[in-house]
């Protein structure tokens, strides 16, 4: 069983506050985005990779990341949009243009800014998507989460029911395209891909992932990511 993966990497990295887009910052001598792409390049379960980038960074990324590191599964570099959801939509349109829009095809979406996903989870993730249509990687919440309104707590959801959504998130193409079309028609903007299916009543499964699959967002995440990368390397030595 194989999948096509969209890698949204067209954000501005504002919270990182670096001089270059955060995905080109180096982690153990390689750009963050190169680490992310490598996870999928080396996975037998992945057939095609579609990185989605700011339009004015496509040439730079092609030279400095894709060609330099020899990523052979990259089929096309796609220009992104204003919001993450706009970027993912452009990825779906690219799949249509490349005739990769068969209803049962498995499409994964994985943030370019998550270079520490454990690809050993891919076979199980793909099997669940093939059987149930949709599944995301997530971890049980460790903290007590409060609902707050105007500076006052208005609720404490039961922690054992709370999970933190990560990526990859994966769907059968037809379900994903249907959820996207419906979200677009309603002007709905979600903060992850699964929420588009949830809003039209589709079932999305959860596969427990790894707390190490952080999204590199703020400067301290670089320090944490470096330490986590060392941890993975020691484990596999
Ligand atoms: N218009 C956008 C916004 C985000 N992303 C991507 O979605 C992922 C998750 O977003 P986040 O980590 O929040 O990245 P940024 O949007 O770049 O960060 P910030 O909000 O700090 O600017 C990242 O890989 C980012 O590049 C994207 O493809 N297109
Ligand atoms: C998709 C995601 O990574 C799941 O945690 C997250 O929702 C992305 O959110 P962001 O605001 O674009 O960082």
């Amino acid at each position: 069983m194989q999948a096509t993966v969209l890698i949204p990497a067209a954000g501005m990295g504002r919270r990182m506050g670096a001089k270059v887009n955060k995905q080109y910052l180096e982690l153990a001598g390689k750009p963050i985005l190169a680490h992310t792409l490598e996870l999928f390049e080396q996975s037998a379960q992945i057939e095609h990779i579609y990185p989605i980038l700011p339009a004015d960074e496509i040439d730079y990324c092609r030279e400095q990341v894709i060609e330099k590191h020899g990523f052979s599964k990259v089929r096309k570099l796609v220009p992104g949009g204003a919001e993450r959801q706009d970027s993912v939509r452009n990825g779906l349109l690219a799949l249509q243009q490349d005739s990769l829009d068969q209803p049962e095809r498995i499409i994964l979406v994985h943030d370019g800014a998550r270079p520490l996903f454990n690809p050993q989870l891919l076979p199980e993730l793909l099997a669940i998507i093939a059987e149930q249509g949709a599944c995301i990687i997530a971890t049980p919440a460790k903290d007590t989460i409060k609902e707050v309104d105007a500076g006052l707590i208005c609720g404490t959801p039961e922690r054992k029911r709370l999970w933190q959504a990560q990526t990859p998130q994966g769907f059968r193409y037809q379900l994903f395209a249907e959820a996207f079309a419906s979200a677009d028609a309603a002007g709905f903007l979600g903060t992850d891909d699964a929420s588009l299916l949830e809003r039209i009543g589709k079932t999305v499964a959860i596969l427990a992932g790894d707390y190490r699959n952080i999204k590199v967002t703020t400067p301290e995440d670089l320090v944490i990511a470096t330490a986590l990368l060392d941890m993975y390397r020691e484990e596999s030595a």
Side-chain angles (χ1 to χ4, degrees), residues 28 55 63 77 92 163 212 215 219 233:
E63 283 163 29
L77 300 182
L92 278 178
W163 288 67
R212 291 178 287 188
K215 183 160 72 64
R233 284 178 177 165

Side-chain angles (χ1 to χ4, degrees), residues 148-186:
V148 176
D149 189 23
L152 297 174
I153 293 173
C154 50
T156 306
E158 197 184 7
R159 186 172 60 191
K160 66 179 184 222
R161 286 170 52 85
L162 297 180
W163 288 67
Q164 290 182 230
Q166 300 180 348
T167 63
Q169 303 197 352
F171 319 94
R172 280 197 229 117
Y173 177 87
Q174 190 172 20
L175 267 178
F176 199 22
E178 184 190 334
F180 241 98
S182 173
D184 284 347

Side-chain angles (χ1 to χ4, degrees), residues 8-15 22 81-84 87 111-113 215:
M12 303 305 289
R14 286 192 189 90
R15 285 169 285 180
K22 65 180 179 183
E83 302 290 342
R84 183 182 180 282
S87 295
D111 293 330
K215 183 160 72 64

Side-chain angles (χ1 to χ4, degrees), residues 6 29-30 37 43 46 58 76 93 122 129 151-152 154 205 234:
L6 305 178
K30 252 188 326 199
L37 295 175
S43 294
I46 300 299
I58 284 186
K76 191 179 271 179
L93 291 173
L122 282 174
I129 298 165
L152 297 174
C154 50
E234 277 166 28

